[in-house]
Amino acid sequence: MEEQLKELLESVPNSYDDFVEGIMLYCDTDELRESMINFIDGNEGVSTSSVLDFYFDELASMKE
């Protein structure tokens, strides 16, 4: 699942190394990885900004 997420993050338009590394560090459980994978797969116009917004709006609370 980690490799799948990394590949998806690298395919996001305007993706950059720190973005990929940061999201990989944030999504440190299978539940978080699966949610992020589903978000990226389910959004045709996904961007680095929308991925970051999704993480901080939806997933960050799952880490608490």
Side-chain angles (χ1 to χ4, degrees), residues 5-64:
L5 177 56
K6 184 176 181 184
E7 289 174 10
L8 283 171
L9 291 168
E10 289 171 341
S11 72
V12 171
N14 299 318
S15 180
Y16 49 97
D17 291 342
D18 288 340
F19 164 75
V20 173
E21 290 175 28
I23 296 297
M24 293 299 294
L25 286 172
Y26 290 147
C27 294
D28 57 355
T29 67
D30 284 343
E31 182 180 18
L32 291 170
R33 288 183 201 107
E34 183 176 5
S35 293
M36 186 60 75
I37 288 167
N38 291 338
F39 173 76
I40 295 171
D41 275 343
N43 288 286
E44 189 173 308
V46 72
S47 66
T48 54
S49 294
S50 65
V51 169
L52 290 168
D53 287 344
F54 176 73
Y55 176 80
F56 287 109
D57 292 346
E58 304 293 329
L59 301 183
S61 63
M62 293 172 67
K63 291 185 70 106
E64 297 174 353

